[in-house]
Amino acid sequence: MDDLNHSCSRQDFREYQFIREAPRHWYVFLCAANVILSVCAVFGNAIILLALRQCHSIHAPTKALFYSLTFSDFGVGMVAQPLQVVAGIAALHGDINLFCSVQPFYAAVAYFFCSVSFITMTAISIERYLALRLGIRYRLVVTVAKVASILVLLWILSSIWAISRMWNIVFNKISGVTIGFLSIIITSSCYFRIYCNLRVLNARIDSHQAPRSSIPKTRNVLNMTLYRRSVNSMLGVFGLLIACYIPYFCVLLVVAFLGYSATVTLATNLTSLVIFLNSSFNPFVYCWRIKEIRLRVMLIIRTLFPVCSNIRPSR
């Protein structure tokens, strides 16, 4: 009788039914895993945010993009994952009213923060390409004000897209997959062009066939060793993001051809957990790949936890 007295949308009610039909232990696992990953994402990204404030060698526009990426990961752990846990517990206990109250909000928040993360990664790849391509004009063209304006626009557009799920879920899914694949293509293209340009630059330097004056002035602006390191670091973050998102995109393709069922709904929830895993792993990747962030994080940890004061950060 409770299932008849609810305010669920058709999509959310179907999902509630499919969760109830699926093996219970899978959703118990999802709730427990989300609790653990939520704590890791909140704690890890909070420390990264503190560390970024103390990192002075990172160029300001690049730091703004890092802030956007880290804030979105923090939001996943702080808001999206706890809401999914509440929705999962409500479905497991047959509380459809609580499920119907939480599920739309959870979906919109999760879509919002994940889309911000995905698009910010594309913006970072473009920024890294422009740093190499523009050379001495980079600091004049790519400014903090311009990057901040673009980020505000991206956050607004991401919120509109996330809310569109409540209006037209078919449009939301199709546009999400389309934007996702376009972002992958643009990001991959930027890193490929960076690789090609660096290879040409190295060939010119190693061959000694060109005079020093003919070597691009990019070297006057960029420390090429640090630049390569930053590109490799962000390429690692991008690779992790792709590894976490591709399973979900594949499930969406299955939904497009086969529609929803208890098994497909379980698959979407499991692959969503893999996406959330990305928000918990990113802080570790930053510490592993970016030396200054690693040093600042270790200082913060030693300040917060004096018992760790004997730990020396690796260089």
Side-chain angles (χ1 to χ4, degrees):
M1 189 67 181
D2 290 340
D3 288 359
L4 300 177
N5 300 322
H6 61 79
S7 57
C8 262
S9 66
R10 182 171 177 269
Q11 172 63 31
D12 290 336
F13 180 61
R14 288 174 62 200
E15 183 161 352
Y16 171 82
Q17 290 180 312
F18 290 142
I19 292 175
R20 298 285 292 170
E21 294 172 7
R24 184 183 178 89
H25 64 272
W26 280 112
Y27 286 95
V28 172
F29 163 75
L30 281 169
C31 290
N34 271 302
V35 169
I36 296 171
L37 292 178
S38 174
V39 173
C40 293
V42 169
F43 181 73
N45 287 288
I47 290 182
I48 295 297
L49 289 172
L50 292 174
L52 282 172
R53 292 187 60 187
Q54 302 173 18
C55 291
H56 304 297
S57 66
I58 300 176
H59 189 41
T62 306
K63 187 185 290 190
L65 292 168
F66 266 115
Y67 271 125
S68 177
L69 187 60
T70 308
F71 266 123
S72 62
D73 287 337
F74 180 82
V76 167
M78 191 70 180
V79 185
Q81 288 181 282
L83 287 175
Q84 190 182 43
V85 172
V86 174
I89 293 174
L92 288 173
H93 287 276
D95 190 341
I96 190 171
N97 291 318
L98 178 58
F99 181 86
C100 293
S101 299
V102 173
Q103 179 63 19
F105 187 44
Y106 151 68
V109 169
Y111 284 17
F112 169 65
F113 284 121
C114 291
S115 63
V116 169
S117 294
F118 211 94
I119 298 175
T120 301
M121 274 303 310
T122 302
I124 289 174
S125 69
I126 295 173
E127 185 269 341
R128 288 291 79 196
Y129 173 70
L130 290 177
L132 184 65
R133 182 67 176 175
L134 294 178
I136 60 176
R137 294 185 296 129
Y138 168 71
R139 293 182 182 273
L140 297 176
V141 175
V142 183
T143 63
V144 179
K146 291 179 182 178
V147 171
S149 299
I150 292 172
L151 287 175
V152 169
L153 180 62
L154 290 178
W155 280 67
I156 292 173
L157 293 176
S158 293
S159 65
I160 294 173
W161 174 76
I163 297 173
S164 70
R165 179 187 182 274
M166 301 178 183
W167 306 327
N168 190 325
I169 194 169
V170 175
F171 166 79
N172 179 269
K173 296 289 187 183
I174 293 175
S175 60
V177 172
T178 303
I179 294 171
F181 279 114
L182 283 176
S183 295
I184 292 174
I185 292 171
I186 293 171
T187 306
S188 301
S189 175
C190 286
Y191 284 123
F192 177 73
R193 297 190 71 174
I194 288 172
Y195 169 78
C196 291
N197 287 342
L198 287 177
R199 191 172 180 181
V200 169
L201 181 60
N202 287 336
R204 288 182 183 180
I205 296 173
D206 294 339
S207 65
H208 299 289
Q209 293 178 353
R212 296 182 65 88
S213 59
S214 69
I215 295 174
K217 292 183 179 180
T218 305
R219 299 185 71 213
N220 296 330
V221 178
L222 295 176
N223 180 312
M224 295 308 295
T225 300
L226 292 178
Y227 177 77
R228 288 191 186 93
R229 192 176 300 164
S230 71
V231 169
N232 289 335
S233 300
M234 297 319 301
L235 191 57
V237 175
F238 174 63
L240 176 62
L241 181 140
I242 293 301
C244 291
Y245 276 76
I246 285 297
Y248 184 78
F249 286 149
C250 292
V251 172
L252 290 185
L253 292 176
V254 173
V255 171
F257 287 103
L258 301 180
Y260 280 98
S261 64
T263 302
V264 173
T265 300
L266 175 60
T268 60
N269 282 295
L270 287 171
T271 51
S272 295
L273 178 67
V274 177
I275 289 177
F276 294 156
L277 194 65
N278 179 251
S279 297
S280 298
F281 277 179
N282 276 342
F284 295 100
V285 177
Y286 301 153
C287 292
W288 173 41
R289 299 295 305 179
I290 305 174
K291 179 181 178 180
E292 186 173 3
I293 290 180
R294 179 170 68 250
L295 296 176
R296 298 298 177 182
V297 165
M298 292 306 301
L299 289 174
I300 292 171
I301 291 176
R302 285 190 288 179
T303 301
L304 294 175
F305 306 101
V307 71
C308 300
S309 59
N310 292 328
I311 299 178
R312 295 183 179 179
S314 61
R315 296 179 181 272

